[in-house]
């Protein structure tokens, strides 16, 4: 897979999407600084812009069969990142469908975007942002609604380059498996790190108790009307009670 590093760009996802639209092959593009980082549901992805490499921001561009079900992809990506950075599985947890938490605060997020391509293929961009350094004292903590955790609290020696070198091969292997097997092989791994399991949550407007995920990566929400499978796309999950 080709690798490219940019000192600065708007969004590595935008760069990767354009690369696929231009007919490019597999690419990993990272940036020391994003000026217009994007999150899910039209939100901005904020990092402490005072320091370059305060966060690791990168995107992987691949082409996959157009008919492949991508509903569990962000969960498989989350499991892969968490297992690579926290192999003992004790501190990094996953919040369906796309958040990584460390010790109860948001460590990072995943943004998957697609672009139609010819020949029954689909361009898929997996954008990952991970906070590396703690916020400086003067930072506006109110801007980080889910809190802010830094990878350096787990591994004080974590740098952008070393973290990317760990994640790149793991993500490549995960994508090869996902293309043939879909999400099902990660269902149990997600369960071990599921931040919401057994907690009262709200998914969109629907309240309930989170009961794990299906083999397709849908959140299983226990409601008065039974267990409802919820798909990630436009939905986000709010935790309403502590474990
Ligand atoms: C979220 O938490 O809603 C997802 C955040 C995803 C951020 C990453 S940073 C690299 C890539 N480029 C972007 O503009 N967004 C993703």
């Amino acid at each position: 897979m080709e690798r490219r590093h940019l000192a600065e760009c708007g969004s590595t996802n935008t760069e990767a999407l354009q690369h696929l639209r231009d007919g490019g092959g597999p690419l990993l593009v990272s940036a020391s600084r994003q000026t217009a980082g994007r999150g899910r549901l039209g939100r901005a992805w904020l990092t402490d812009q005072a320091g370059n490499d305060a966060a690791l921001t990168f995107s992987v561009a691949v082409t996959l069969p157009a008919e492949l079900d991508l509903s569990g992809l962000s969960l498989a990506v989350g499991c892969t990142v968490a297992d690579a950075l926290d192999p003992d599985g004790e501190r990094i947890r996953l919040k369906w469908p796309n958040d990584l938490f460390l010790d109860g605060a948001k460590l990072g997020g995943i943004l998957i975007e697609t672009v139609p391509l010819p020949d029954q293929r689909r361009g898929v961009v997996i954008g990952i942002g991970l906070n590396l350094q703690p916020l400086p004292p003067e930072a506006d903590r109110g801007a980080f609604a889910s809190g802010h955790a830094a990878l350096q609290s787990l591994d004080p020696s974590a740098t952008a380059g070393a973290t990317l070198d760990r994640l790149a091969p793991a993500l490549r292997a995960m994508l090869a498996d996902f293309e043939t097997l879909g999400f099902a092989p990660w269902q149990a791994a997600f369960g071990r790190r599921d931040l919401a399991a057994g907690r009262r949550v709200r998914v969109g407007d629907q309240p309930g108790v989170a009961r794990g995920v299906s083999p397709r990566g849908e959140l299983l929400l226990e409601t008065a009307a039974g267990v409802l499978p919820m798909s990630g796309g436009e939905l986000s999950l709010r935790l309403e009670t502590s474990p």
Side-chain angles (χ1 to χ4, degrees), residues 5-238:
H5 182 77
L6 306 170
E8 181 178 301
C9 68
S11 152
T12 56
N13 262 37
T14 305
E15 298 285 331
L17 284 166
Q18 192 54 50
H19 171 81
L20 288 172
R21 284 192 194 100
D22 293 343
L27 171 73
L28 188 160
V29 55
S30 52
S32 292
R33 187 170 184 274
Q34 291 188 129
T35 54
R38 293 186 281 110
R40 274 181 79 242
L41 310 174
R43 296 176 189 136
W45 165 258
L46 298 175
T47 46
D48 168 34
Q49 298 294 12
N52 280 352
D53 293 321
L56 170 62
T57 51
F58 70 101
S59 302
V60 175
V62 286
T63 70
L64 292 172
E67 76 279 2
L68 184 68
D69 177 8
L70 299 182
S71 46
L73 181 57
S74 67
L75 280 57
V77 172
C79 291
T80 304
V81 171
D83 286 350
L85 301 179
D86 174 31
D88 298 332
E90 287 175 4
R91 289 180 63 188
I92 297 184
R93 311 288 298 279
L94 300 171
K95 180 168 155 286
W96 182 92
N98 73 314
D99 286 341
L100 291 118
F101 273 63
L102 173 63
D103 302 338
K106 184 158 168 167
L107 170 69
I110 298 158
L111 174 66
I112 295 182
E113 297 180 292
T114 60
V115 51
L117 294 178
D119 302 327
Q120 313 298 320
R121 302 292 288 176
R122 176 157 55 175
V124 178
V125 168
I126 300 166
I128 300 178
L130 289 173
N131 303 319
L132 290 176
Q133 299 168 12
L135 286 175
E138 68 280 7
D140 172 13
R141 284 174 166 64
F144 296 86
S146 305
H148 181 285
L151 189 60
Q152 287 177 357
S153 351
L154 182 68
D155 173 5
S157 67
T159 60
T163 307
L164 196 51
D165 286 345
R166 235 153 129 182
L167 295 181
L171 288 167
R172 255 201 316 272
M174 180 277 298
L175 280 165
D177 288 343
F178 191 92
E179 179 165 352
T180 49
L181 303 169
F183 171 69
W186 284 275
Q187 186 183 10
F190 186 86
R192 287 192 288 277
R193 295 189 188 263
D194 185 353
L195 185 68
R199 291 170 69 171
R200 292 208 66 79
V201 300
R202 191 171 279 273
V203 182
D205 289 337
Q206 176 71 59
V209 176
R211 295 290 180 210
V213 295
S214 76
R216 292 188 56 221
E218 299 146 318
L219 181 91
L220 299 174
L221 187 67
E222 185 183 314
T223 70
V227 176
L228 307 177
M230 316 291 287
S231 299
E234 298 300 311
L235 291 174
S236 63
L237 175 149
R238 266 207 332 268

